[in-house]
Every structure is written in structure tokens, then in C-alpha cells.
Amino acid sequence: MTAAAPLVSLGGVARRFGNGTLALAGLDLAIEAGEFLSILGPSGCGKSTLLRLLAGLLAPSEGRIDWPRGHPGRRGIGFVFQDPTLMPWADALANARLPLRLAGLPRAEQEARGRAALAAVGLAGFERAYPRELSGGMRMRVSLARALVTRPALLLMDEPFAALDEITRHRLNDELLALWQGSGMTVVFVTHSVFESVYLATRIVVMAARPGRVAAVLPVAAPMPRPPGFRTSAAYAALCREASAALERAMAA
Amino acid sequence: MSAAPRLLLWLLPALTGLAVLAGWEALVRHFAVPPYVLPGPVAVARALAEDWPLLSASLLATLRIALLALLAAVTVGGLLAVLFAQSRWVERALFPYAVVLQVTPIVAIAPLILIWVDDVTLALLLCAWIVAFFPILSNTVLGLNSADRNLEELFRLYGATRWQALWLLRLPAALPFFLAGLRVAGGLSLIGAVVAEFVAGAGGTGSGLAFRILEAGYQLRIPRMFAALALISACGIAIFAALGLVQHLLLRRWHESALGREG
């Protein structure tokens, strides 16, 4: 752990829904600036609720969420949903520049930054394509471009690649790591895949369900960027075993 | 689809129609049915040609009422829908009355409207509007409330104003629903116009196609009656097709409903 103040810290956070369901209870977690944090847990453990709390889309029922370095602001947080969640009536560029449009930035700047964001996710030349004309992986790239277009300090991702095929998922994993590296951006990546969380994260938070809470925190001691062949290395397998065991303990608890 | 079956797809209903017309004409001739009972298609076509100056003027009168009513339905229905989407309370307060207006048969209200409104054109317009506006209102309300929940959250995340959420998210999301309502309303506006003309025509005033049908009935000019009827049908088909084209052009790039046609 670094001695510097975390980007955001949650203390005793609970979230109860209108129907009485306790999605999160007594959740303590500090998210360090610049880390790639993966939230790993079974479905129903409140992973998505945690992301929505961080995004400010939900307020905690109990506890507090502090931003010691100051709140990154409305456009300082990017969100990528499980589905691409694109506007089907708008082309890739219009989708990618949406956050800037909502911010009221000049049209020329919206377009330039939108194009740059699309290029960064490998979609240069697809600016005028409509979501329907793109593959699932490409739609997810547009969604990623839209989240990155504001150059957020914090990127929240809610199982973004879960619906993609494995080959596409692996490629997007590598590209996401490349985008994150050297950007200074903090990523919180929710997944239910042990392999994905180990591959991507610098630290894994394992959550237990009913009510959602932190069960274990595992640092991932592996070089970044991931060396070629990392997926098939013994080190990767050992880390996956460790994360898997932690997840099983969390689910048994 | 290859060229031959596609041609057949158009040819088949056309041939069926021609066969029915030919059979109809043959029967009328064979049994020597008098034209005031059932005129053959040839007699109807002749009436259409001979009475064209009269019928075309009536066609324009009816079409004008129907299209103006549709325009009013789009305006009022669309604006009300946006208002409803902005405030649940307004919707609660007004929607039941829109339903009342919809379920009350226009034939029953038309005489009242004709008594209350002195200007016949305005009265006809009002009748046709009452019939046409509901599908636009109800469909658009449904559409405005059907925007993707995650997209709504995204708009909230980026601090979108109410106006931005309406303009950039809810209105485009409502467009396919609105267009479906528009297609139904197009047909209904013609029906409303014709029904209102019938009621007005029974009172001796009018110039539209329905009035011509009544008039021809009184005068036993049955071929002209059929000709007017054919024009009303053609009108309805034309409105339906035109609105279908509008729907296709607006949605073809993005909406699932237009997917099949691109192939």
C-alpha cells in the first residue's frame, strides 16, 4: 500500500433497497489512485451496487464515501456497463462524444476528442457506423471510447466483456491494460471471472454475498505489462488458484 | 431473395385482383345485373372517368380534411405525450379523458360537434382529429418511457439536463413507437373524415367523397358510388404506403423493425 491518500475510501457502507434487500453491509474499502482494482464475487454480492455507489448513481444507506484527493467531478468518472448501452440511432462518433456533448463543449472539440477516443480503442474509420452495423466486440469498444473520452480519473467497469467470445475478450483485456498503463487512471473492474481478474488487476477484492461485503483482498504480484505467454505461465496459474480459493472461501462464508 | 420470386411476390396479388375483377364483370354481364344493383368494374371505371371533375374535387376535399387532421393529431398528440412524460401528475390527470375521447364512437359525437361548430370544415377536422390523435398519444407516451435504463443512468452520470435527456435520449427512443402510431393514425384520420362527412352529408351539407356516396345513393347512381368508394380505398392505401415509406427512411439505419428489408 502506498502512503499517499487513497482516491476514494468507503467506510462501513451499507445499501438497502426499497424492498428491504441488503445489497451491501459494513463495506470497508480504500481504492488507491492509479491502481487497477478488480472486484471479484458471485452474482448477487452487490458488485454492481458498489459501482453505482462510486459513480454517485446511488447513495449509501449507511456509512460514508470519502474522496481524500477531492471528487473527480461529473466528467471525472467513466462508466462501462455490461451491455454496450449505445444509442442505436446515433453513429459511433456521436455515441463516443456524448459525454462531451452533455457537458456543452464546442462541437469541434467534441468531434476531435471523440475521433481520438475511437482511434484509441482501434475504431478509426468506423466513426460513421451505426451500432447495428458493428460486431459485439466493436460495440463494446465504442462504449469504452465513450467512457474514456472525458479522460476520467476513475473508470468503472461492470462486467463489460462478459457477453463477448473468449478470443475477443482476451484481445480487449490486453487493449484495456495498454490504455490504462501510463494513463494515471484508476480502474475498478467488476467481474465474476477469476481468470479475467487475475490477468487484469494489480489488486483483487473478493466479495461475499448476502449481504455484500469484502471477504479478502489479494495483491496480484505479477509484472505489468503482462509478458507474452503470461496466460499459460505457471505464475498465472498459481495466482488463479489463489484467487479461486479465496472466492470459494468467500462463497462458503 | 432472387429476382424471379420477388417479381412473383408483386405479380401474384395483382393477378388475383385482375381475376376477381374479370370474374365480377363476367358475372354481371352473364346474369345481366342492372347497374343500379351491382355495376361491373367497367361501368365503375367509366363513371370514374366521366365524373372525374366532380369526384377529384371531392377527393381533394376529403384528403385535405384527413391530412390536416393527421397534422393536428401529430402536433397535439406529440406535445401531450411529451408533457405526460415530463410529469406523471399531468398524465394521471389527463390520460383517462384521452381514453374517454378514444372509446366514444365518433358517429355518436359527430352530430353534436356539427351542431356546436358552425364552420363545417372545422367540425369535420375536429371529428377526424379525435379519431386520429389517440394512437399517436399512447404510442409516443409508451416510447418516451421506453428509453434504455442504463442509458438514462449514463445521462444522469454525466449530469444531463432534463432537456438534454428529452432531446437526445427519450425523443429518439420514442421515434419508432411514434411512427407506428402515425401509421395507424393515418388510416384513422381518413376514416374519421369520411364518417364525419357522412354525418354532415346526411344533413345536406358537404363536398367530400362520403357526401358523393350519399348523393349517388339517393340518385341511384351506383357506379359513381362505387367509383367514390374506390377512391377512398386508394386514398387510404396511399396514406398508409406514404407513412410506411417515412417510417422506413427514418429507421432504416438503426432500428430492428427495418432490419429485414435491407437483406
Side-chain angles (χ1 to χ4, degrees):
Chain A
M1 289 303 103
T2 51
L7 178 74
V8 53
S9 76
L10 298 92
V13 165
R15 171 68 202 190
R16 190 185 293 278
F17 284 106
N19 58 11
T21 313
L22 197 58
L24 294 173
L27 186 118
D28 295 303
L29 179 66
I31 298 171
E32 308 299 333
E35 76 173 326
F36 197 123
L37 185 75
S38 167
I39 311 265
L40 177 65
S43 43
C45 73
K47 296 175 299 215
S48 297
T49 306
L50 174 58
L51 281 195
R52 281 176 166 72
L53 285 168
L54 287 171
L57 290 169
L58 288 176
S61 311
E62 285 168 35
R64 36 189 300 126
I65 300 177
D66 292 312
W67 303 83
R69 297 154 173 264
H71 192 275
R74 269 202 194 290
R75 281 161 262 288
I77 299 179
F79 204 114
V80 179
F81 296 90
Q82 189 166 354
D83 303 311
T85 315
L86 302 174
M87 302 179 292
W89 53 83
D91 62 23
L93 181 58
N95 269 292
R97 68 182 172 88
L98 175 72
L100 305 178
R101 186 171 186 187
L102 294 177
L105 262 58
R107 174 78 181 243
E109 188 182 349
Q110 293 174 28
E111 300 240 334
R113 284 172 64 179
R115 277 173 200 284
L118 285 175
V121 298
L123 282 183
F126 288 94
E127 290 84 0
R128 293 285 160 231
Y130 281 72
R132 212 185 72 190
E133 299 159 352
L134 299 171
S135 67
M138 288 161 97
R139 283 180 210 170
M140 197 37 93
R141 285 167 197 266
V142 177
S143 189
L144 189 56
R146 179 181 61 197
L148 293 173
V149 79
T150 57
R151 300 185 195 112
L154 176 61
L155 179 62
L156 305 171
M157 306 184 83
D158 190 1
E159 301 189 31
F161 307 143
L164 300 178
D165 66 88
E166 196 169 344
I167 297 165
T168 308
R169 186 162 65 237
H170 285 181
R171 188 180 305 147
L172 280 169
N173 281 168
D174 285 326
E175 291 183 14
L176 177 61
L177 282 182
L179 285 166
W180 164 74
Q181 276 205 306
S183 68
M185 179 170 67
T186 308
V187 180
V188 178
F189 189 102
V190 162
T191 178
H192 55 238
S193 160
V194 169
F195 306 108
E196 195 173 37
S197 66
V198 171
Y199 191 78
L200 289 174
T202 52
R203 199 160 65 108
I204 300 171
V205 169
V206 181
M207 285 184 69
R210 275 174 283 277
R213 63 204 183 275
V214 174
V217 179
L218 302 170
V220 181
M224 198 62 90
R226 304 304 192 204
F230 180 65
R231 274 187 201 283
T232 50
S233 69
Y236 179 65
L239 284 165
C240 286
R241 234 183 344 262
E242 195 186 331
S244 210
L247 183 61
E248 261 168 46
R249 277 196 301 278
M251 286 170 76
Chain B
M1 201 176 284
S2 67
R6 185 178 288 248
L7 189 68
L8 206 64
L9 219 59
W10 286 99
L11 218 57
L12 214 56
L15 285 176
T16 315
L18 276 178
V20 168
L21 287 181
W24 175 5
E25 184 69 34
L27 284 177
V28 166
R29 281 176 192 243
H30 182 260
F31 293 106
V33 184
Y36 54 85
V37 175
L38 178 68
V42 173
V44 172
R46 198 181 299 128
L48 189 60
E50 280 169 6
D51 297 337
W52 180 248
L54 186 72
L55 288 176
S56 63
S58 298
L59 171 70
L60 282 180
T62 302
L63 204 55
R64 193 170 136 253
I65 296 290
L67 292 181
L68 281 175
L70 186 61
L71 194 70
V74 166
T75 314
V76 179
L79 285 179
L80 266 182
V82 170
L83 190 67
F84 285 8
Q86 293 300 301
S87 160
R88 286 252 168 244
W89 293 109
V90 177
E91 183 179 355
R92 269 251 168 269
L94 292 183
F95 199 75
Y97 298 100
V99 175
V100 168
L101 218 52
Q102 160 73 7
V103 296
T104 312
I106 190 63
V107 204
I109 324 176
L112 277 178
I113 292 176
L114 282 156
I115 290 171
W116 290 337
V117 182
D118 280 336
D119 185 66
V120 179
T121 307
L122 192 63
L124 295 178
L125 200 56
L126 201 58
C127 291
W129 171 79
I130 287 175
V131 182
F133 100 102
F134 189 78
I136 295 196
L137 173 69
S138 64
N139 271 38
T140 312
V141 166
L142 183 68
L144 287 169
N145 290 322
S146 304
D148 186 311
R149 292 286 165 262
N150 282 339
L151 268 176
E152 281 187 357
E153 287 215 315
L154 193 84
F155 271 65
R156 215 144 58 77
L157 181 72
Y158 288 116
T161 62
R162 221 179 157 82
W163 171 249
Q164 283 176 324
L166 177 69
W167 187 248
L168 296 176
L169 176 60
R170 301 183 81 182
L171 281 178
L175 187 64
F177 294 81
F178 165 80
L179 289 171
L182 183 66
R183 256 183 124 167
V184 176
L188 286 179
S189 67
L190 184 65
I191 291 174
V194 168
V195 167
E197 278 179 6
F198 261 108
V199 176
T205 50
S207 56
L209 281 174
F211 178 69
R212 291 298 160 222
I213 288 179
L214 278 175
E215 187 189 52
Y218 295 144
Q219 301 170 355
L220 277 186
R221 293 181 165 187
I222 307 304
R224 184 194 280 182
M225 201 169 163
F226 269 83
L229 194 61
L231 279 180
I232 291 178
S233 291
C235 228
I237 294 169
I239 291 177
F240 190 75
L243 294 177
L245 184 67
V246 169
Q247 188 178 27
H248 179 64
L249 290 179
L250 284 175
L251 300 183
R252 64 184 166 160
R253 284 303 294 275
W254 65 275
H255 200 254
E256 299 299 331
S257 68
L259 193 66
R261 300 191 204 186
E262 291 202 340

